[in-house]
């Protein structure tokens, strides 16, 4: 399992998924799909689009990874997780096939999702890439639309050491004749998507070239954004029910994707679009994206865990009024944190921890590495003990941020009732 073992668990081809799905009757061909890739933002983008489509009356599947608290978070229809009995039944029915093919955990999960969506006859499913794109298990789809959120430095041991190499892997989801939306145009790598789209005769749109966020401000548990359409010379005010500063990048890709679907005769009204954006957490169960766990003390968690993700999280922290900043942080030992640590503020108080997983970097090791960058704090044996210490040090007006890894956030969410 990648969760436990890291890169050694990855199978760099789609052969097992092809064999597995052939044995299941190719369920992925029995429903329409939208394929979403990218370094950061693909989870939020998938959930936002799923929420919009469900609000528009489409029976909508949603496949994402990793899960935070419950495995079944990965496979949903209209926000409802796959029932436990369906998971158990799938494994029982196909145990001999699994033993014959020897697929990875992720490959089994992808096949399970496709089989469930086909059986339940969804109108459309949002399918998030697990890792990369070209060789990802999900890349057996022939979707209605491809969305690529952004390109950043993550999983360099698997995808390449340059943005261009990583972009080429993400561009691997582009299919012949299938329109593709790239949320964020980066001039240094835009040519990679343009070349791949030409090769595939796939219509290509860069959302950030067509749309611009003019204003963005926090409101309640979300954001009020004013988006300017640079093509139609119009502006639109929207409420997005996710509070992270970085969501203003994702919203451009989502709006452009919706526009592309409308061009292809999908019925999505303005009211349905607004309802879907505003109620994404209620409609899809999304967690861990600038999620407020407590108001007093003020505790927020976020799953951003690579160079770009941390940069965006910090931008949201600075836009959140606070006196002293307490950061509870843990990382995986196979992560290159040399790009993350220099970004972190030296005037914060740090609580270094290790989530209960063998891939986690020891809290003492993380503390030692962080000290080299002037980041002062203490090491704790668990996420819960680190959060407890931060709560004890908290004073009115402070902010406690919990993050650095999906697994740190997952443990906080499991203990949610305890820390609230």
């Amino acid at each position: 399992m990648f969760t436990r073992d890291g890169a050694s668990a990855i199978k760099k081809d789609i052969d097992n998924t092809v064999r597995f799905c052939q044995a299941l009757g190719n369920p992925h061909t029995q429903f329409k799909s939208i394929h979403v890739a990218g370094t950061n933002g693909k989870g939020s983008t998938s959930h936002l689009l799923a929420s919009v489509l469900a609000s528009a009356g489409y029976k909508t599947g949603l496949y994402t990874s990793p899960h935070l608290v419950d495995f079944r978070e990965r496979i949903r229809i209209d926000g409802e997780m796959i029932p436990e009995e369906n998971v158990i039944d799938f494994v029982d029915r196909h145990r001999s096939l699994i033993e014959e093919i020897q697929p990875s955990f992720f490959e089994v999960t992808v096949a399970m999702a496709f089989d469930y969506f086909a059986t339940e006859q969804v109108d459309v499913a949002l399918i998030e890439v697990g890792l990369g794109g070209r060789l990802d298990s999900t890349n057996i789809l022939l979707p209605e639309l491809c969305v690529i959120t952004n390109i950043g430095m993550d999983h360099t041991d698997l995808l390449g050491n340059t943005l261009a190499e990583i972009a080429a892997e993400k561009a691997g989801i582009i299919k012949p004749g299938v329109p593709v939306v790239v949320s964020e145009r980066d001039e240094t790598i835009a040519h990679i998507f343009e070349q791949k789209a030409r090769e595939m005769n796939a219509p290509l749109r860069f959302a950030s070239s067509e749309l611009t966020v003019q204003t963005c401000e926090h409101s309640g548990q979300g954001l009020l954004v004013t988006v300017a359409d640079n093509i139609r010379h119009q502006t639109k005010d929207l409420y997005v029910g996710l509070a992270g500063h970085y969501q203003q990048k994702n919203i451009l890709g989502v709006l452009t994707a919706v526009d592309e679907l409308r061009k292809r005769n999908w019925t999505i009204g303005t009211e349905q679009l607004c309802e879907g954006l505003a109620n994404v957490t209620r409609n899809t169960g999304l967690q861990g994206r600038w999620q407020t766990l407590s108001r007093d003390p003020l505790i927020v968690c976020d799953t951003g865990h690579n160079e770009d993700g941390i940069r965006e999280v910090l931008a949201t922290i600075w836009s959140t009024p606070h006196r002293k900043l307490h950061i509870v942080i843990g990382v995986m030992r196979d992560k290159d944190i040399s790009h993350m640590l220099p970004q972190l503020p030296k005037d914060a108080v740090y609580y270094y921890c290790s989530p209960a997983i063998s891939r986690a970097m020891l809290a003492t090791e993380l503390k030692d590495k962080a000290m080299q960058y002037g980041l002062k704090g203490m090491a704790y044996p668990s996420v819960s003990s680190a959060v407890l210490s931060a709560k004890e040090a908290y004073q009115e007006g402070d902010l406690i941020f919990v993050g650095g890894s999906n697994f740190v956030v997952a443990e906080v969410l499991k203990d949610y009732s305890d820390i609230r």
Side-chain angles (χ1 to χ4, degrees):
M1 288 172 59
F2 180 72
T3 294
R4 183 189 65 221
D5 302 327
S8 63
I10 296 295
K11 297 185 179 180
K12 296 184 178 181
D13 60 56
I14 61 173
D15 295 348
N16 280 347
T17 307
V18 169
R19 287 182 61 196
F20 204 150
C21 285
Q22 283 177 342
L24 297 175
N26 290 320
H28 58 290
T29 65
Q30 298 171 35
F31 55 86
K32 294 179 179 180
S33 60
I34 298 170
H35 205 187
V36 183
T39 302
N40 294 299
K42 60 183 182 290
S44 295
T45 295
S46 297
H47 282 79
L48 285 163
L49 283 170
S51 181
V52 168
L53 286 165
S55 295
Y58 294 98
K59 187 175 183 179
T60 305
L62 175 62
Y63 175 76
T64 58
S65 63
H67 64 274
L68 292 174
V69 178
D70 187 324
F71 164 81
R72 298 178 304 131
E73 295 168 26
R74 296 170 180 249
I75 305 171
R76 298 176 183 265
I77 295 178
D78 290 342
E80 295 295 323
M81 294 189 292
I82 182 173
E84 288 184 10
E85 55 267 28
N86 289 64
V87 176
I88 295 166
D89 180 64
F90 181 87
V91 175
D92 282 345
R93 281 189 292 118
H94 303 297
R95 185 178 299 276
S96 60
L97 180 63
I98 292 169
E99 291 172 351
E100 174 191 343
I101 296 176
Q102 292 290 300
S104 69
F105 168 82
F106 187 80
E107 289 166 337
V108 174
T109 307
V110 168
M112 182 188 298
F114 291 170
D115 184 71
Y116 181 59
F117 295 152
T119 300
E120 294 298 316
Q121 298 181 315
V122 299
D123 297 316
V124 62
L126 274 294
I127 308 296
E128 179 193 2
V129 167
L131 182 68
R134 182 175 64 94
L135 299 177
D136 188 75
S137 300
T138 63
N139 203 28
I140 66 171
L141 294 168
L142 183 60
E144 297 284 297
L145 174 68
C146 295
V147 180
I148 301 173
T149 56
N150 79 335
I151 305 300
M153 300 299 289
D154 197 14
H155 299 297
T156 54
D157 55 334
L158 295 164
L159 302 180
N161 293 309
T162 67
L163 286 179
E165 289 175 324
I166 295 171
E169 291 297 317
K170 309 288 187 185
I173 72 166
I174 299 175
K175 304 295 194 307
V178 176
V180 57
V181 170
V182 178
S183 300
E184 188 177 353
R185 183 182 179 95
D186 181 336
E187 293 299 338
T188 64
I189 55 174
H191 66 281
I192 293 172
F193 297 112
E194 290 167 341
Q195 179 179 333
K196 183 68 173 181
R198 282 195 299 270
E199 291 173 2
M200 294 293 174
N201 194 29
L204 171 65
R205 299 172 67 177
F206 289 96
S208 62
S209 297
E210 299 183 19
L211 304 174
T212 305
V213 173
Q214 288 187 332
T215 62
C216 176
E217 61 183 62
H218 289 280
S219 176
Q221 293 294 307
L223 298 172
L224 280 173
V225 294
T226 301
V227 178
D229 186 324
N230 303 324
I231 308 298
R232 299 181 177 92
H233 304 291
Q234 300 172 340
T235 60
K236 182 179 296 184
D237 295 325
L238 297 165
Y239 178 76
V240 183
L242 298 173
H245 181 81
Y246 49 83
Q247 296 297 349
Q248 60 184 305
K249 293 186 177 181
N250 296 329
I251 192 62
L252 301 184
V254 169
L255 292 175
T256 305
V258 168
D259 185 63
E260 189 64 33
L261 291 172
R262 285 169 167 168
K263 287 182 176 180
R264 294 169 192 280
N265 298 318
W266 289 69
T267 303
I268 305 169
T270 299
E271 185 175 333
Q272 296 163 332
L273 169 66
C274 293
E275 195 280 332
L277 295 178
N279 297 298
V280 57
T281 54
R282 186 188 71 190
N283 290 350
T284 68
L286 178 62
Q287 296 190 88
R289 273 61 169 192
W290 197 257
Q291 183 174 348
T292 300
L293 302 177
S294 169
R295 289 288 179 186
D296 185 19
L298 180 56
I299 305 175
V300 177
C301 67
D302 194 280
T303 54
H305 60 275
N306 52 39
E307 181 179 357
D308 289 343
I310 290 294
R311 183 180 300 116
E312 297 295 345
V313 164
L314 287 171
T316 305
I317 287 176
W318 301 139
S319 68
T320 303
H322 62 273
R323 191 183 67 88
K324 179 181 284 189
L325 176 61
H326 306 263
I327 296 182
V328 177
I329 186 170
V331 300
M332 297 297 101
R333 65 172 185 271
D334 54 356
K335 282 287 184 181
D336 179 7
I337 58 175
S338 63
H339 299 290
M340 178 197 299
L341 293 177
Q343 297 186 60
L344 298 177
K346 292 182 174 59
D347 57 351
V349 180
Y350 289 86
Y351 305 78
Y352 303 106
C353 59
S354 296
I357 182 171
S358 58
R359 263 180 69 210
M361 181 181 293
L362 292 175
T364 51
E365 181 182 352
L366 176 57
K367 175 190 171 184
D368 290 343
K369 290 179 181 290
M371 287 289 285
Q372 298 174 19
Y373 296 92
L375 308 178
K376 299 176 182 178
M378 299 289 292
Y380 296 85
S382 68
V383 175
S384 294
S385 60
V387 171
L388 179 60
S389 184
K391 287 176 63 179
E392 290 173 346
Y394 178 92
Q395 295 183 23
E396 186 177 354
D398 290 358
L399 168 62
I400 298 174
F401 173 77
V402 184
S405 166
N406 285 318
F407 302 105
V408 173
V409 172
E411 290 196 19
V412 166
L413 291 174
K414 288 175 185 176
D415 294 338
Y416 179 71
S417 60
D418 293 330
I419 56 176
R420 182 168 53 179

